[in-house]
Amino acid sequence: LGSTILGCEQYRAKVAFVDPKDVPVAQPGLLRDEYYPGDLKFDPLGLKPEDDEEFEIMATKELQHGRLAMLATAGFMAQELT
C-alpha cells in the first residue's frame, strides 16, 4: 500500500511541478503553467468539458456539492450525539 501511494505521489509531483533544476532559487515549488490543481489527465469516461468556461462551472459545482455533503455528514453525526 505504501509503495502504491508513493508511486502515485511521485507521478503527481512530476506532472504538477517544474523540474527543480529549472526553477529559480527564489521560487521553490513552482507549478507548471498548464497544470490545474487536481487535474492528472485521468478522464476515462470523457466527462471533462473541453471549454475552459464550462470546466470552471463544473469545478464550482463540484466544490459546492462537496461542501453540502460535508454539512450533511456533520448533521448526521450531530443527530447521533443527541
Side-chain angles (χ1 to χ4, degrees), residues 3-73:
S3 61
T4 303
I5 294 172
L6 177 66
C8 290
E9 285 300 312
Q10 282 181 335
Y11 174 73
R12 184 191 59 80
K14 185 175 77 170
V15 169
F17 295 99
V18 177
D19 193 9
K21 63 184 170 209
D22 299 331
V23 176
V25 176
Q27 296 179 333
L30 187 64
L31 288 173
R32 296 181 190 273
D33 291 333
E34 67 273 3
Y35 177 71
Y36 183 83
D39 184 19
L40 297 177
K41 309 295 186 229
F42 180 74
D43 188 22
L45 299 177
L47 298 175
K48 181 181 172 188
E50 297 295 325
D51 182 29
D52 288 339
E53 184 177 332
E54 185 66 30
F55 178 74
E56 290 295 326
I57 291 170
M58 184 178 269
T60 301
K61 287 179 183 178
E62 183 179 2
L63 284 172
Q64 296 299 331
H65 290 131
R67 290 172 180 154
L68 182 62
M70 286 188 278
L71 282 172
T73 304

